Amino acid sequence: MKKLLTGNEAIARGAYEAGVHFASAYPGTPSTEILENIGTYKEIIAEWAPNEKVALETVIGASIAGGRALAAMKHVGVNVAADPLFTFAYTGVNGGAVLISADEPGMHSSQNEQDNRNYAKFAKIPMLEPSTSQEAKDMVIAAFELSERFDTIVMIRLTTRVCHSKSMVSLNERKKVTPKVYEKDFNKYVAVPAIGRQLRHKVEERLTKLKAYTNDSDLNYSVNNSKQEGVIVSGMAYQFAREALGDTVDYLKLGFTHPLPKDTIDTFCQSHDKVYIIEENDPYIEEFAKQLGHHVVGKDIFPYSGELTPDVIRRAVLSENIENLEVNKDKIVNRPPTFCSGCPHRGFFYELGKKRRKIIVAGDIGCYSLAVGQPYDMMDWLICMGAAYSTGHGAQTITDLKPDDDRRLVSVMGDSTFFHTGINSLLNTVYNGGKTINIILDNRITGMTGQQDNPGSGYKLQGETAQIGDIEAICKALGIKHVRKINPNDLKEVKATINWALELDEMSVIITNWPCVLKKRYKEEDFETYKDMWQTQDMVMQDTCTGCKACLRSGCPSLVFDKEKGKMSIDRTTCVGCDVCLQICPYDAIVKAGDAA
Amino acid sequence: MTRSIKLVGVGGQGTILAAKVLCDALINAGYDVKMSEIHGMSQRGGSVSSEIRFGDEVYSPVIEKGKADVLIAFELMEAERALDYLSKDGLLIVNNHKINSMVTLNGKVPYPEGIVEDLKSKVNTVVVNASDEAIALGNAKVMNIMMLGALVNADDLHTLDIEQSIENTVKEKFISLNKQAFQKGKEL
């Protein structure tokens, strides 16, 4: 049977058909749907981990114990997981192990554009690169066979367009794989220096075998159109190149891209007058080919950044420009991303914004990154997951050295980021006697990537209920003296708490606790904790509204200004009654819809 | 030959479902099909698009600027925003419907006037009142399937069995309503 699947769905299907027993991931665009889809197969145990390092480590354990296991993450997640990856590359596997890295040429939803093919070379592990959903599925199955045959974790490198585009995939049955026997093997798995020195040679021997194998791999193949010009290409760039150049060139399509096939590339280069290397991001294949002494054309004509879509390739190779219809800029207005109506971050940032001159805001990655824009202007920097507390601490240390600067560092991150790596950073501030103000915007879910459960949400990936990580208790257990948990929709409480923290000369933690308006699953007790959650609406008393627009400083998309009447109103289809605008209105013109007389 | 259809709209208008139905019909008609979307921040009310390419063998899942054969816009401003994707000889099918963005709601800038005239002056444009007709049918949400009716009517895709694909794709209790919407769309 054939089905139209995204690359991510196809990876999940591949895991199912390969007989995978265990999979783990931390959500991150464009990789998130891989584990969500694996979770739909009840034959596989699929778990969200609090971060990518933990995800890969659970997979390592599962592999050593004899299971087939897969970890999935976005490109920057591999940075977090790099530590276990590099040593697992030494020990090798028992059951097959596969790491999926989803890269982002063009940075649609990421902070950088790093090319994770470099990781395969760096860690000395084999790498496969699919260009369609069918290849994505087939390569997962091939990766597990390679993993067990060559005793190594295998990396599959995807890019956004492979992850999120759909193409036809043939479905097969699940292979029945019984977990292998685990026998204690000190010389293989205990990477103390003495053993590490032995394993180091094993890695090199493995690499030599892989270098021979990659030349024979049918994942590397050529498309012969009997032309003098050739293109060496991998991943989605292959589909883009074929679209742009059609049958006017020959292709060497590489699917097994670490180690690269030296002999195959030599032969292809020698049999063509001119060879282009078309690859997104770094000149990974190009440098290899040049090292072999071939005169190839690569990043001298193709951009080093962004996606190499067919138009980009046409422009570079054929100097061809397509004339477009012109968009009349006067006829469009942006639809900027913003906090949803009822978003629990709104009230907090509204109040914090009033302290703008007294504070520096260390930001982090999540929905609250949107506070960087108007009307909040609430972020001085954003680096990586979990960095708000630690960068804040470092910045406070230096700020305090300046006699004329008494600004306080306010570090903001969400619950999922806190569980990810924020805990470590917060512990550092406690330990070193810092005095930052640390915010945990606890909306009880991983919001930005689309409602994934986490250790604070009360549910696991495959639907079972879970223990709820108690953020307040964790903070107290870390040794933090000043911890307050507040309702971010209560502006008086928010304001008083921010003032309280600013007056302290020691570190503090403020936990703003209210569920994301999009959160789908609740426990019974949640309905008591979060009273009348989303059950009400606010409205504007037209007689009382002066049209002063003070409420717009909340940045709520439900607020509508009627220019003719000069008055505000509230969109009844989107308002969920969070009352933030109601509390901001200086004329008490906004009331609960049910209370209107 | 590979053909390209781009669907654009505002989050919540059902572009993804419409694209799904259309893809299903194209696959059943024997085409190779690729479809592309960019997922990311789960926000409401943003610009969204789905790209469908079909033919004997499709390579790129992405439509280049200036290369879409048909642009189906569920909203006026989104039609203008995506216009540079449409081929000069292409067909624009636009739903005559405005959805405000936060900045227009807030009264900071007005929703632009004269979009239909601007579009018509540039390219072969079919304007349909699908949102109004969908409300008349009893459910504003079926506007998306109505737009597919307008598509098969205006383009040479009338051989596609969209009704079968509605049955394959849409939730059981909405099948009949969506079929009505599709038929209505063919008349617009």
Side-chain angles (χ1 to χ4, degrees), chain A residues 71-368:
Chain A
M73 54 200 67
K74 70 182 289 171
H75 60 336
V76 289
V78 181
N79 300 336
V80 180
D83 196 2
L85 175 64
F86 278 67
T87 301
F88 189 46
Y90 274 35
T91 66
V93 304
N94 185 17
V98 169
L99 167 68
I100 313 282
S101 166
D103 292 12
E104 275 243 296
M107 294 180 273
H108 297 281
S109 311
S110 299
Q111 66 270 44
N112 80 25
E113 202 182 30
Q114 66 185 53
D115 187 335
N116 278 7
R117 292 180 300 172
N118 296 304
Y119 265 120
K121 189 179 171 194
F122 197 3
K124 302 175 189 290
I125 56 173
M127 167 171 61
L128 310 182
E129 276 186 86
S131 75
T132 62
S133 298
Q134 180 71 55
E135 287 181 6
K137 193 201 85 167
D138 293 345
M139 283 187 186
V140 172
I141 295 162
F144 276 100
E145 280 159 17
L146 286 167
S147 173
E148 288 171 2
R149 173 169 170 187
F150 288 96
D151 190 10
T152 174
I153 186 168
V154 175
M155 182 172 123
I156 296 180
R157 188 244 192 176
L158 311 175
T159 56
T160 311
R161 297 293 182 178
V162 177
C163 293
H164 284 170
S165 69
K166 290 188 178 185
S167 53
M168 300 304 288
V169 179
S170 310
L171 307 187
N172 298 313
E173 293 305 310
R174 177 173 167 89
K175 183 178 168 186
K176 216 176 156 82
V177 180
T178 313
K180 292 185 176 177
V181 175
Y182 165 70
E183 279 174 65
K184 190 169 183 302
D185 188 348
F186 181 82
N187 290 311
K188 177 168 165 60
Y189 295 119
V190 185
V192 292
I195 308 256
R197 282 190 284 271
Q198 294 167 26
L199 293 174
R200 178 72 188 81
H201 299 298
K202 205 182 92 178
V203 169
E204 237 29 64
E205 285 162 20
R206 183 180 74 204
L207 212 47
T208 306
K209 283 183 205 157
L210 285 164
K211 279 175 184 170
Y213 178 85
T214 183
N215 280 306
D216 301 328
S217 168
D218 54 11
L219 300 177
N220 299 324
Y221 61 90
S222 54
V223 177
N224 189 359
N225 294 313
S226 307
K227 302 292 174 189
Q228 295 308 306
E229 293 193 349
V231 168
I232 303 178
V233 63
S234 71
M236 184 51 81
Y238 171 66
Q239 303 296 335
F240 290 158
R242 285 211 67 170
E243 185 74 37
L245 306 174
D247 296 338
T248 62
V249 293
D250 291 346
Y251 297 90
L252 175 57
K253 199 275 192 190
L254 301 180
F256 194 123
T257 48
H258 190 259
L260 282 162
K262 176 185 171 298
D263 299 347
T264 312
I265 290 174
D266 276 340
T267 309
F268 189 82
C269 288
Q270 282 154 8
S271 59
H272 291 88
D273 296 342
K274 188 173 187 182
V275 171
Y276 296 96
I277 311 268
I278 304 185
E279 53 189 328
E280 291 175 328
N281 291 1
D282 292 349
Y284 170 82
I285 303 170
E286 180 182 343
E287 283 176 359
F288 181 81
K290 283 183 171 167
Q291 235 173 34
L292 296 175
H294 302 298
H295 296 283
V296 294
V297 181
K299 293 295 172 186
D300 30 359
I301 65 163
F302 298 107
Y304 57 81
S305 169
E307 298 182 295
L308 294 187
T309 44
D311 50 323
V312 178
I313 296 173
R314 277 200 193 92
R315 215 172 298 136
V317 177
L318 310 169
S319 305
E320 183 184 306
N321 262 322
I322 297 160
E323 262 188 80
N324 301 330
L325 290 164
E326 211 171 307
V327 173
N328 186 341
K329 299 276 181 216
D330 296 337
K331 302 291 181 202
I332 52 172
V333 172
N334 281 343
R335 299 186 188 274
T338 179
F339 292 142
C340 301
S341 300
C343 175
H345 302 335
R346 172 167 289 109
F348 177 78
F349 283 111
Y350 170 77
E351 285 299 336
L352 189 65
K354 295 178 182 171
K355 309 290 182 191
R356 195 67 191 93
R357 288 193 196 141
K358 295 182 180 171
I359 59 172
I360 298 170
V361 181
D364 218 302
I365 293 171
C367 282
Y368 40 90

Side-chain angles (χ1 to χ4, degrees), chain B residues 111-176:
Chain B
Y111 189 101
E113 294 295 329
I115 294 178
V116 170
E117 293 72 19
D118 189 71
L119 296 170
K120 280 186 166 171
S121 74
K122 291 175 186 163
V123 72
N124 181 13
T125 303
V126 176
V127 183
V128 290
N129 292 315
S131 283
D132 296 343
E133 293 293 344
I135 290 166
L137 263 187
N139 189 335
K141 293 219 161 203
V142 296
M143 175 275 292
N144 58 350
I145 300 299
M146 204 173 279
M147 291 297 285
L148 292 186
L151 168 74
V152 300
N153 191 35
D155 201 56
D156 59 349
L157 292 169
H158 41 264
T159 53
L160 291 184
D161 194 348
I162 297 279
E163 295 209 356
Q164 180 62 50
S165 295
I166 289 172
E167 281 180 28
N168 297 347
T169 314
V170 174
K171 272 191 199 147
E172 176 124 29
K173 60 176 176 176
F174 294 117
I175 288 175
S176 135

Side-chain angles (χ1 to χ4, degrees), chain A residues 417-560:
Chain A
T417 313
F418 173 79
F419 291 122
H420 181 278
T421 35
I423 294 178
N424 304 7
S425 302
L426 200 56
L427 186 60
N428 173 67
T429 310
V430 185
Y431 172 55
N432 290 300
K435 60 171 223 190
T436 51
I437 298 166
N438 302 280
I439 316 299
I440 301 163
L441 300 153
D442 178 15
N443 64 357
R444 306 286 319 281
I445 201 80
T446 310
M448 190 65 130
T449 43
Q451 307 297 303
Q452 288 74 34
D453 283 297
N454 71 38
S457 74
Y459 292 91
K460 299 204 282 181
L461 169 67
Q462 288 174 309
E464 310 95 321
T465 58
Q467 192 68 32
I468 295 178
D470 184 337
I471 295 176
E472 189 178 14
I474 291 170
C475 292
K476 288 180 176 163
L478 293 179
I480 302 163
K481 283 187 278 181
H482 310 291
V483 180
R484 282 194 185 177
K485 184 166 153 180
I486 61 170
N487 171 1
N489 296 328
D490 182 340
L491 297 192
K492 266 190 195 151
E493 191 181 10
V494 173
K495 186 177 184 176
T497 309
I498 292 171
N499 285 335
W500 161 81
L502 283 168
E503 278 160 24
L504 291 168
D505 200 32
E506 293 181 311
M507 80 176 289
S508 59
V509 167
I510 302 171
I511 304 161
T512 71
N513 180 261
W514 196 269
C516 173
V517 67
L518 302 176
K519 182 172 159 73
K520 293 181 190 96
R521 285 186 293 198
Y522 293 100
K523 294 190 167 180
E524 270 308 308
E525 55 264 36
D526 289 335
F527 294 101
E528 282 169 36
T529 313
Y530 311 109
K531 224 170 154 279
D532 291 340
M533 174 174 53
W534 327 132
Q535 298 304 306
T536 65
Q537 290 203 316
D538 298 315
M539 63 175 285
V540 180
M541 308 272 278
Q542 293 297 305
D543 296 346
T544 322
C545 177
T546 66
C548 75
K549 297 190 188 174
C551 53
L552 287 183
R553 288 202 295 270
S554 71
C556 180
S558 292
L559 292 164
V560 181

Side-chain angles (χ1 to χ4, degrees), chain A residues 382-396:
Chain A
L382 178 160
I383 305 293
C384 68
M385 292 286 291
Y389 301 149
S390 30
T391 56
H393 173 67
Q396 187 75 72

